[in-house]
Amino acid sequence: MGNKLGRRRQVVDEKYTRPQGLYQHRDVDHKKLRKLILESKLAPCFPGDEECTCDLEECPICFLYYPSLNRSRCCMKSICTECFLQMKTPNSTRPTQCPFCKTSNYAVEYRGVKTKEEKGIEQIEEQRVIEAKIRMRQQELQDDEERMQKRLEISSSGRMVVPGEVEYSSTSVPASRFPVEGEEIVASQDSRAPLTIRPPLQTRQNRYFLSINDVESLASNLGCRVGSPFYELEESGKRRNPAYGDAAPSAQYVTGDRFVSPEMALPAESSSSPSGGLACAIAALAERQQIGGESSLNYNGNMSAFNMLPGRSRVSSGAVQDVENYTPTESSNEVSPDSRMAVTGDDGEWGVDHGSEVAEAGTSYTSSDTIEEAGVAALPPPDEIEGSFQNVTGRPIIPESFEEQMMLAMAVSLAEARAMTSAQGVAWQ
Amino acid sequence: MTSSSAPSRKALSKIACNRLQKELVEWQVNPPAGFKHKVTDNLQRWVIEVNGAPGTLYANETYQLQVDFPEHYPMEAPQVIFVPPAPPHPHIYSNGHICLDILYDSWSPAMTVSSICISILSMLSSSTVKQRPADNDRYVKNCRNGRSPKETRWWFHDDKV
């Protein structure tokens, strides 16, 4: 179980095998906890630091700093062991939800201290989240204008309905009530309200959410619901079905993770490539480097994500691809431009943007992707072969140093951004 | 259904205190757009000024949110109400109670005061009519002895936020 590639065994001091008293834990099996910590399945209960010194990670729940944290399977968010132990809601029959993305059956894994690479990648992701926020703000301004115009057109009709007056079914209720957008972008992602999904919204989502890995905070901000008090006097038959209660929030969380997690819940065994996006891809790349030439697992699990997220999983799905599998097939037409844009020697310059057709071509070389393609540099058009590619012998060229990996990561990120602005990207001759 | 005075006034736990202090610092560095919080000695109750977003029904209007933190914040949701007069909104009652799932069932300890504020502003911004909930009078009557909205069993049926 877990990740045999990523986990680094460590000897844990006995005193860190039990909670440090952050919370009053009830129902914690201390023996079990100790065992899990000693087996490196959960992060040790280090006492959290108030200040961030050197290489500590912040737990997003208690805001304390730790040498290492657990990660949720669904969305890779960190959490300290003591906070994790609090997540099980007592007196609830519902499966525990991930506090970050609301995926049900919340589970974490422990992979030891984050590598430098992973940290660097996180910084990049953060940067991208900030950029996305700026774009969202701009969009909001635009939306405001649209909204004003809409309002002029909409006559306020049939507004709030008193609970109990109408036979609500959880799926139907207010879905199509008012076609206003803005924050509703998120609500309309809810699969229970397909009526509200209108093409313009869709494109906007793609533009903003698919490209970023880490907007749970935004997501949870916006993915919320309103309603009215429930009166017990009114027929209990209209009560919210508990099962529905679970379904609802999980349908609400947004962003890339939304698309990835349901699938990834299953192949979690192969979690060294959680296909959480660029960050994970590159983390996987880094990890792969660490394990040397060991051939990678079968990442079929990524295919579903691949299909849903052509823009991104392209990057993630193949980071772990075994080079030997890469056979130049008829899809080479699509591939070659990529290779040209691949790493050129030391400067690690990247460009990306194969248009959408590459996603199509995915079937022929399912898990190939920019990173590996570039690393392999399998098919540079003859005229593009640089001297630096001479040493390609079928072993993947993977950036050796951290700096190179960082550059690579940044370049991919840049290229992605570029790809977003220009749909088809660079025109190949 | 019995009444009780607003939030339990038990002192914040150590962890709640620590987290709130950090949220406060973060707020001061990077406050959510449209909100103002005057810092007081009382870490357990924040009173936050909300400015309606430009271009919405509540543009140029100012309201006050009162956020009370329970002993076990963030494991438990804070109590968030508008200080009357509350904005007229189909999901905001005249006593200031807000029907918004993240304040109750869907609270997650990963949320923050700042994220709550953004949700509330987004709820206001998406409104198309300035109108009280249809059951406003009845609900407010039910709560007249100072019941906390956290004791209400809310029914969240409207995804349009």
Side-chain angles (χ1 to χ4, degrees):
Chain A
M1 269 263 307
N3 177 7
K4 60 177 183 288
L5 306 178
R7 186 179 302 135
R8 289 163 272 285
R9 291 254 161 194
Q10 53 181 345
V11 183
V12 180
D13 192 316
E14 190 65 30
K15 67 183 174 214
Y16 300 139
T17 58
R18 40 180 190 267
Q20 303 294 303
L22 205 54
Y23 304 99
Q24 293 165 324
H25 296 282
R26 270 165 245 140
D27 309 324
V28 170
D29 183 339
H30 289 269
K31 254 192 193 163
K32 227 183 201 170
L33 176 67
R34 179 174 172 276
K35 187 162 172 276
L36 288 170
I37 291 174
L38 290 177
E39 288 174 352
S40 290
K41 286 180 175 156
L42 270 180
C45 294
F46 295 117
D49 266 11
E50 302 226 344
E51 301 297 323
C52 183
T53 49
C54 57
D55 277 343
L56 299 180
E57 284 184 70
E58 188 182 36
C59 168
I61 306 288
C62 62
F63 287 18
L64 295 174
Y65 294 92
Y66 297 87
S68 62
L69 294 172
N70 308 292
R71 244 81 65 78
S72 51
R73 274 197 181 155
C74 39
C75 59
M76 298 298 288
K77 282 285 197 176
S78 303
I79 189 171
C80 73
T81 295
E82 288 192 69
C83 286
F84 175 67
L85 294 174
Q86 291 288 304
M87 287 301 123
K88 179 101 188 93
T89 39
N91 313 322
S92 172
T93 49
R94 297 192 203 176
T96 307
Q97 288 179 347
C98 170
F100 305 102
C101 71
K102 304 261 179 193
T103 304
S104 67
N105 294 316
Y106 177 50
V108 296
E109 62 176 349
Y110 179 55
R111 299 167 155 220
V113 180
K114 271 192 188 163
T115 60
K116 265 191 203 165
E117 288 80 3
E118 285 169 316
K119 283 179 187 162
I121 283 149
E122 259 167 29
Q123 281 175 1
I124 292 174
E125 287 291 311
E126 273 166 30
Q127 178 64 38
R128 300 174 73 203
V129 170
I130 291 167
E131 285 165 14
K133 278 183 183 168
I134 292 168
R135 285 198 302 269
M136 274 184 76
R137 202 159 283 175
Q138 288 168 343
Q139 186 68 44
E140 267 166 28
L141 293 176
Q142 206 178 315
D143 285 348
D144 286 340
E145 277 174 37
E146 279 177 36
R147 202 179 289 128
M148 282 304 278
Q149 290 194 327
K150 278 269 156 55
R151 192 167 298 128
L152 296 177
E153 295 162 18
I154 294 172
S155 64
S156 60
S157 59
R159 283 288 308 152
M160 185 61 203
V161 188
V162 180
E165 275 183 359
V166 178
E167 194 68 38
Y168 283 115
S169 84
S170 53
T171 52
S172 68
V173 190
S176 54
R177 207 151 63 202
F178 22 81
V180 187
E181 53 266 26
E183 290 72 21
E184 289 90 338
I185 296 171
V186 174
S188 66
Q189 274 201 348
D190 189 319
S191 55
R192 286 169 303 116
L195 295 178
T196 54
I197 297 180
R198 298 181 304 158
L201 293 185
Q202 276 296 58
T203 30
R204 202 185 300 160
Q205 279 167 12
N206 292 342
R207 224 160 76 216
Y208 291 112
F209 294 117
L210 293 185
S211 61
I212 44 180
N213 192 29
D214 202 30
V215 286
E216 281 79 27
S217 53
L218 292 176
S220 48
N221 290 338
L222 303 176
C224 49
R225 313 169 77 215
V226 290
S228 49
F230 177 82
Y231 298 106
E232 290 189 71
L233 292 177
E234 276 147 16
E235 313 83 299
S236 54
K238 285 176 193 141
R239 195 172 300 176
R240 234 166 113 214
N241 176 351
Y244 161 61
D246 297 331
S250 67
Q252 278 173 32
Y253 58 85
V254 204
T255 79
D257 295 317
R258 175 179 193 272
F259 299 97
V260 174
S261 34
E263 285 74 31
M264 292 317 293
L266 301 172
E269 305 301 309
S270 60
S271 51
S272 73
S273 167
S275 89
L278 177 69
C280 301
I282 297 172
L285 179 73
E287 235 166 40
R288 183 180 158 76
Q289 183 192 5
Q290 285 176 352
I291 59 161
E294 191 180 323
S295 75
S296 44
L297 307 168
N298 183 1
Y299 284 93
N300 283 339
N302 286 336
M303 276 312 293
S304 43
F306 183 88
N307 292 332
M308 302 176 78
L309 268 176
R312 286 160 45 71
S313 41
R314 226 189 306 147
V315 178
S316 63
S317 57
V320 285
Q321 185 212 10
D322 209 1
V323 190
E324 284 73 29
N325 293 342
Y326 189 92
T327 46
T329 59
E330 74 283 358
S331 61
S332 55
N333 295 338
E334 284 90 357
V335 181
S336 43
D338 299 335
S339 321
R340 185 162 72 98
M341 295 296 279
V343 179
T344 55
D346 288 332
D347 57 7
E349 190 194 317
W350 274 71
V352 178
D353 207 359
H354 14 217
S356 52
E357 78 279 5
V358 177
E360 258 45 71
T363 44
S364 50
Y365 54 105
T366 51
S367 56
S368 65
D369 89 333
T370 20
I371 290 172
E372 199 70 355
E373 279 161 23
V376 177
L379 293 168
D383 54 319
E384 292 295 333
I385 296 180
E386 310 273 347
S388 54
F389 276 120
Q390 301 292 336
N391 58 351
V392 174
T393 60
R395 246 196 93 242
I397 300 175
I398 293 170
E400 291 291 327
S401 70
F402 172 58
E403 286 74 20
E404 279 174 82
Q405 284 168 356
M406 289 302 297
M407 279 218 273
L408 184 149
M410 281 189 283
V412 172
S413 154
L414 266 175
E416 269 200 354
R418 205 183 307 150
M420 270 187 290
T421 49
S422 61
Q424 278 303 316
V426 187
W428 321 105
Q429 311 89 327
Chain B
M1 282 304 204
T2 50
S3 65
S4 75
S5 58
S8 64
R9 296 265 77 193
K10 270 186 131 180
L12 295 170
S13 67
K14 191 170 160 256
I15 190 75
C17 222
N18 182 64
R19 204 185 116 141
L20 278 172
Q21 267 155 1
K22 291 196 176 173
E23 280 197 51
L24 194 57
V25 170
E26 172 61 26
W27 179 293
Q28 284 162 333
V29 175
N30 184 20
F35 294 89
K36 241 183 263 163
H37 166 44
K38 272 204 212 111
V39 182
T40 63
D41 290 344
N42 190 354
L43 195 60
Q44 198 162 5
R45 170 173 288 178
W46 295 22
V47 178
I48 297 170
E49 204 170 86
V50 192
N51 288 307
T56 68
L57 288 180
Y58 306 91
N60 304 318
E61 292 176 18
T62 303
Y63 297 96
Q64 287 202 319
L65 278 174
Q66 178 181 297
V67 187
D68 286 289
F69 298 94
E71 179 189 6
H72 295 297
Y73 179 80
M75 291 305 152
E76 205 185 303
Q79 176 197 287
V80 185
I81 57 169
F82 276 102
V83 180
H89 182 284
H91 297 300
I92 299 173
Y93 292 84
S94 54
N95 60 359
H97 291 197
I98 307 165
C99 185
L100 180 67
D101 66 342
I102 57 155
L103 301 178
Y104 314 106
D105 299 24
S106 299
W107 167 255
S108 146
M111 294 173 189
T112 61
V113 184
S114 183
S115 71
I116 293 172
C117 285
I118 294 168
S119 291
I120 289 175
L121 188 62
S122 112
M123 177 176 167
L124 287 179
S125 300
S126 60
S127 171
T128 52
V129 281
K130 279 183 158 178
Q131 181 180 291
R132 290 283 172 220
D135 59 341
N136 183 66
D137 293 350
R138 179 177 169 197
Y139 177 75
V140 172
K141 209 170 126 203
N142 262 332
C143 297
R144 75 189 144 204
N145 36 21
R147 196 168 81 168
S148 160
K150 291 175 74 182
E151 291 168 45
T152 304
R153 285 176 59 212
W154 298 96
W155 185 35
F156 306 105
H157 50 75
D158 187 347
D159 286 340
K160 300 298 298 175
V161 168

